[in-house]
Amino acid sequence: MTLLRLEQLQLAYGTHVLLDNADLTIEKGERLALVGRNGTGKSTLLKLVDGEIQPDDGLIWRAPGLKIGVLAQELPESSGMTIFDMVAQGLPEAGELLSEYHHLITDADPDMDRMATLQTRIEAIDGWLFHQRIDIILTRLGLPPDAEMNALSGGWRRRVALARALVAEPDLLLLDEPTNHLDLDTIAWLEEQLLAFRGAVLLITHDRAFLSKLATHVLELDRGKLGRYPGSYAVYQERKQHELEVEARENAEFDKKLAQEEAWIRQGVKARRTRNEGRVRALEQMRADRGQRRERQGTANLNVDRGERTGKRVVELKHLTHRFGDEAIIDDFNIEIQRGDRIGFLGRNGAGKTTLLKILLGELEPTEGSVKLGTNLNVAYFDQLRAGLELEKTVYDNVAQGSDHVSVGGKDRHVMSYLQDFLFTPERVRQPVRALSGGESNRLLLAKLFTQPANVLVLDEPTNDLDMETLELLEELLLDFDGTLLLVSHDRTFMDNVVTSVLAFEGEGQVREYVGGYTDWVRQGGTLPPAPWEGAARQQTEPTREAAPTPAEAPAAPVKKSVKLSYKLQRELNSLPADIERLEQQVETLEATTGDPAFYQQPADTVTARLKELDDAQQALEAVMERWMELEAMTEGQ
């Protein structure tokens, strides 16, 4: 069943064309993921579908009685309204009456005359059915109806916004960056809700794991055209790469022929003879076609100035505890972060990830314990709130800081040229930062960050609003970065591709390190604790269910049986750290030797022997590290 159809849509803002004869059909049950570069018009397309704005030309057909639910990118205001009030807004007429009635019945001394009037009006529009629908939605999403909106975190306000979109039982659900502000457990919960949704879904997301699990089709908005690709995101990538290769070949052949015809026309009189008029007209058409061609936007060029190397130890925490009031959000935590470590932080919103980052950076004193910082630390910090950007200044001035040049990697670059690496056009460079989209603001913050010589990168949610290609380029840059990386992100794919270990905030102040990325953490049994008031919310909204056992009544979790190593294995384990350090020093010395250009001017036998020595040392180091992790795993739980 067709729910919506767009035909030959045209939309432009000034000279910037967003839609150029774009077509789209949405069928019931489809889950369409809309992808494209930042600034191509994805959010604008959702507003066209919803009817919030109108196109310059073209047709938008909606099925009779089509109901559309919208989850906007912006969070609902944390006003004095209750959750019930906010969700009831999804039913404009009935919702206002039901919200007022709900407050009256919870009032200690209600106005009975007003209540009778409301009952009559609600019955007239069959409003009790709507009241039941609100109760069902609140129960399904675990939301307490009388909780105040201003007491909720960003993730829970996102959940309320989804309840408001679902309560009208829409045929089509529009979602703009639904995973922003959500922690990992809530993202997984949202995936389940959308997989069970019976209507159609049109969503914008840069979360590749979320997209891959949900999308039945991928829509790409590229240079004003809408391409449709059935199947997964991986299938879309393969087909798109093939299309771009074909397009590049066709453009090259066209440009070659156009150059030949231009050379011919310049030959003069004989080119204008009557018998060649057809060729002249063909050349004029080729010129027009070339002028109308919209070139694909370039690829961002990301580089970071690595600065001097740090010492081997970047930071060491011993018996670290940090409290807010009487609550310990970090309790007796120990870790040593070494040069080259790439560590991800996993935890619920408000679990203490940013607090630990500030302690690691020396910006915050812990309640207890010691923090030892290493030597030669040059830290570059990416703040998810973009506090490093001055909104009233232009893009140019934010990076230039009073100069026309920046130093990147020891080389001077003109600011205009440098910003073009981050896909800012000359027109965009002169605009104030407040006029940028979320993705453009993040690209600008990265551009500003990478002008600082840094051997420690601290990135707090750097992936929000970035398009897919820039995300992948950022991944490549971080993998090539030979300094230390501390990363907070809810993007599971990004975490898997970049980090070598994760610190998981598991509740009650416990922070535990796991080898690998997000997927490895899940495989090793990692879980996050429930939200502080989640249990209370479910008790308020599901009164007919049997109450969950209290912690005292709950069956005890199985205790892992500890393994005691034999005397021989324990001695081997104790000796391995010294072996690891010796091999690391050997590898470091050999790498420095082979990295010298003069090294390759020696006899071939000498070069070959030294390279083999380096390879053997690297393999030996890997073998010792694997043995150390194996023995450590055997002792886990002791």
Side-chain angles (χ1 to χ4, degrees):
M1 175 184 173
T2 302
L3 300 180
L4 180 132
R5 188 166 58 249
L6 311 180
E7 296 179 359
Q8 299 293 294
L9 247 59
Q10 293 279 155
L11 183 66
Y13 292 136
T15 59
H16 184 36
V17 178
L18 295 178
L19 297 174
D20 184 11
N21 292 322
D23 297 314
L24 173 65
T25 300
I26 299 178
E27 303 285 342
K28 184 177 180 180
E30 290 183 329
R31 294 189 297 272
L32 309 176
L34 179 60
V35 302
R37 288 286 184 84
N38 297 131
T40 54
K42 300 187 296 296
S43 296
T44 302
L45 180 63
L46 260 61
K47 292 176 181 178
L48 283 167
V49 170
D50 185 36
E52 183 179 338
I53 61 175
Q54 297 301 317
D56 297 332
D57 198 8
L59 172 68
I60 301 180
W61 178 86
R62 300 178 181 85
L66 178 70
K67 289 186 287 187
I68 299 177
V70 180
L71 178 65
Q73 191 169 348
E74 299 79 18
L75 289 172
E77 292 294 329
S78 56
S79 63
M81 288 193 294
T82 65
I83 288 178
F84 188 98
D85 296 334
M86 183 64 71
V87 175
Q89 286 184 347
L91 303 164
E93 181 184 0
E96 292 180 10
L97 299 176
L98 291 171
S99 183
E100 185 179 355
Y101 182 80
H102 181 79
H103 284 286
L104 279 174
I105 61 175
T106 57
D107 194 341
D109 184 22
D111 184 339
M112 301 306 294
D113 291 336
R114 180 57 182 167
M115 186 178 292
T117 302
L118 286 173
Q119 286 176 329
T120 302
R121 293 180 61 184
I122 291 171
E123 289 170 359
I125 60 173
D126 202 14
W128 300 120
L129 178 63
F130 295 122
H131 193 286
Q132 183 182 18
R133 192 182 298 171
I134 294 174
D135 287 341
I136 291 172
I137 289 289
L138 292 175
T139 301
R140 188 192 306 168
L141 304 190
L143 295 169
D146 297 318
E148 296 284 341
M149 286 293 296
N150 54 18
L152 304 184
S153 68
W156 284 95
R157 285 179 16 226
R158 174 72 68 183
R159 204 178 268 215
V160 173
L162 182 62
R164 182 176 61 182
L166 291 173
V167 74
E169 295 186 345
D171 305 300
L172 173 61
L173 192 57
L174 307 179
L175 307 176
D176 194 350
E177 294 291 357
T179 61
N180 280 1
H181 308 285
L182 298 186
D183 53 38
L184 293 169
D185 275 6
T186 311
I187 292 173
W189 163 85
L190 180 57
E191 288 173 345
E192 295 173 3
Q193 299 298 316
L194 296 179
L195 286 170
F197 181 63
R198 296 181 181 179
V201 179
L202 176 59
L203 65 96
I204 299 170
T205 183
H206 297 134
D207 186 326
R208 288 161 290 179
F210 186 78
L211 186 156
S212 297
K213 186 166 185 178
L214 290 175
T216 59
H217 295 75
V218 175
L219 300 176
E220 185 195 44
L221 183 54
D222 181 19
R223 290 165 284 178
K225 302 293 186 183
L226 270 173
R228 187 183 181 101
Y229 301 83
S232 67
Y233 178 65
V235 173
Y236 152 74
Q237 285 182 303
E238 292 176 4
R239 288 189 56 184
K240 185 63 181 177
Q241 182 61 35
H242 175 69
E243 287 179 6
L244 291 175
E245 291 171 357
V246 170
E247 179 184 348
R249 285 198 302 269
E250 291 177 348
N251 286 344
E253 291 172 2
F254 180 93
D255 292 344
K256 180 180 179 181
K257 184 176 180 181
L258 176 59
Q260 291 171 345
E261 293 301 288
E262 291 287 4
W264 168 79
I265 198 69
R266 289 193 295 271
Q267 291 177 8
V269 175
K270 68 176 183 178
R272 293 192 291 273
R273 290 176 183 166
T274 303
R275 64 176 180 273
N276 289 328
E277 285 182 358
R279 189 172 177 181
V280 173
R281 287 195 297 271
L283 172 58
E284 291 173 348
Q285 183 60 47
M286 290 180 71
R287 287 171 173 170
D289 291 344
R290 181 64 183 85
Q292 292 175 2
R293 183 196 299 173
R294 293 187 65 184
E295 298 291 353
R296 180 172 170 80
Q297 189 178 15
T299 301
N301 180 22
L302 308 183
N303 291 287
V304 59
D305 188 345
R306 291 169 172 79
E308 297 180 7
R309 297 186 79 186
T310 65
K312 182 178 178 182
R313 182 181 66 189
V314 174
V315 62
E316 181 181 21
L317 306 182
K318 287 187 177 181
H319 303 295
L320 184 133
T321 296
H322 194 75
R323 294 186 176 89
F324 287 131
D326 295 331
E327 181 184 3
I329 61 169
I330 303 171
D331 187 16
D332 196 25
F333 177 54
N334 299 277
I335 191 172
E336 180 177 327
I337 298 175
Q338 298 187 350
R339 182 181 63 238
D341 286 349
R342 296 197 297 273
I343 300 176
F345 289 57
L346 290 175
R348 287 193 175 276
N349 293 334
K353 301 186 295 295
T354 302
T355 298
L356 181 56
L357 273 182
K358 291 181 177 179
I359 292 173
L360 288 169
L361 296 176
E363 296 180 2
L364 182 66
E365 286 290 330
T367 308
E368 299 173 16
S370 65
V371 180
K372 293 182 180 179
L373 299 178
T375 57
N376 295 330
L377 299 187
N378 293 319
V379 179
Y381 182 39
F382 181 99
D383 175 17
Q384 65 167 315
L385 301 178
R386 303 168 187 152
L389 297 180
E390 298 176 75
L391 300 183
E392 298 306 318
K393 287 188 176 181
T394 65
V395 171
Y396 187 98
D397 290 337
N398 264 270
V399 172
Q401 297 294 309
S403 173
D404 290 330
H405 292 80
V406 292
S407 178
V408 181
K411 297 180 181 179
D412 277 350
R413 296 280 308 277
H414 194 278
V415 173
M416 191 70 75
S417 170
Y418 176 66
L419 285 170
Q420 286 177 354
D421 287 349
F422 290 81
L423 306 183
F424 288 103
T425 63
E427 296 79 13
R428 206 65 170 155
V429 162
R430 297 300 181 186
Q431 291 187 333
V433 172
R434 55 178 166 74
L436 301 182
S437 67
E440 288 173 319
S441 295
N442 271 13
R443 282 210 310 269
L444 176 59
L445 190 54
L446 288 172
K448 188 173 181 179
L449 184 77
F450 293 162
T451 60
Q452 307 172 29
N455 46 36
V456 179
L457 284 179
V458 181
L459 306 181
D460 193 355
E461 294 292 356
T463 64
N464 281 353
D465 304 315
L466 290 181
D467 57 57
M468 301 292 190
E469 292 186 34
T470 307
L471 269 178
E472 291 167 0
L473 287 167
L474 181 59
E475 285 177 356
E476 292 177 13
L477 177 138
L478 295 178
L479 289 173
D480 290 339
F481 180 62
D482 58 7
T484 305
L485 172 67
L486 304 178
L487 171 70
V488 177
S489 177
H490 294 142
D491 188 322
R492 294 158 290 179
T493 303
F494 190 81
M495 188 82 77
D496 276 341
N497 292 345
V498 170
V499 305
T500 55
S501 66
V502 297
L503 294 179
F505 289 71
E506 299 184 334
E508 297 182 353
Q510 298 304 304
V511 183
R512 184 178 177 187
E513 185 173 14
Y514 293 79
V515 176
Y518 170 80
T519 303
D520 298 295
W521 170 71
V522 172
R523 180 177 52 78
Q524 295 174 68
T527 58
L528 298 179
W533 60 279
E534 188 171 3
R538 287 179 177 161
Q539 289 178 12
Q540 289 184 45
T541 57
E542 303 178 29
T544 59
R545 293 190 182 183
E546 183 177 345
T550 64
E553 297 168 342
V559 179
K560 291 184 180 178
K561 185 178 180 181
S562 62
V563 177
K564 183 172 179 62
L565 295 180
S566 67
Y567 174 77
K568 182 179 178 180
L569 290 179
Q570 187 63 52
R571 282 193 63 186
E572 181 184 0
L573 176 59
N574 293 341
S575 68
L576 286 177
D579 292 341
I580 291 171
E581 186 170 359
R582 175 179 55 80
L583 287 168
E584 283 180 336
Q585 290 175 351
Q586 184 180 352
V587 168
E588 189 172 339
T589 301
L590 288 169
E591 285 178 339
T593 301
T594 58
D596 187 347
F599 169 76
Y600 295 93
Q601 297 175 8
Q602 302 178 83
D605 291 344
T606 303
V607 171
T608 302
R610 190 54 59 91
L611 290 174
K612 185 178 185 306
E613 186 179 352
L614 173 60
D615 183 63
D616 291 343
Q618 290 173 332
Q619 290 185 26
L621 177 59
E622 290 177 4
V624 172
M625 287 292 293
E626 288 178 4
R627 180 59 173 165
W628 177 77
M629 288 188 289
E630 179 184 350
L631 294 177
E632 278 288 308
M634 291 172 64
T635 64
E636 187 177 348
Q638 292 195 98

